[in-house]
Amino acid sequence: MCKETEDPGAGGVTYDSAESLLAAVAPGMDLCTSDFTGWAAVEGVQPGIGERAGFIIARKHADHRLVHVPPEAVIAIHDGHCVRIDRARATIDKQGWEAAPAASECR
């Protein structure tokens, strides 16, 4: 007999546009890898301006560096707290999303 398991990705909310996705992301949410491993804490969003795309601003748990994650990398938002990114844990730190430190962080 085959045992059925629940799909951990079921129930995620998807959005029709980058703008609507960014509007649903809030500080305190967790950026998670595709396998739901916590990776960074959301600090806010930078909405797109003109042709410049918006992005999610978060701070990595491992080294506290800021990252700017594009909305097209997001799979879905789960339970209002997990922003699931389409990257596996083994590759998520190799995306080039790390942001330069703010002037106040360089002291």
Side-chain angles (χ1 to χ4, degrees), residues 26-49:
M29 291 179 144
D30 207 30
L31 287 180
C32 303
T33 60
S34 58
D35 64 353
F36 293 98
T37 301
W39 176 64
V42 173
E43 292 194 353
V45 298
Q46 174 64 52
I49 300 172

Side-chain angles (χ1 to χ4, degrees), residues 13-27:
V13 178
T14 58
Y15 297 86
D16 293 333
S17 68
E19 293 80 16
S20 62
L21 170 73
L22 290 175
V25 174

Side-chain angles (χ1 to χ4, degrees), residues 3 7 14-15 18 21 28 31 33 40 54 56 58 68 77 79-80 83 87 95 100-101 103-104 106:
K3 181 180 178 184
D7 178 7
T14 58
Y15 297 86
L21 170 73
L31 287 180
T33 60
I56 300 167
H68 291 170
I77 296 178
D79 300 324
V83 181
R87 300 294 188 276
Q95 302 301 311
S104 62
C106 294

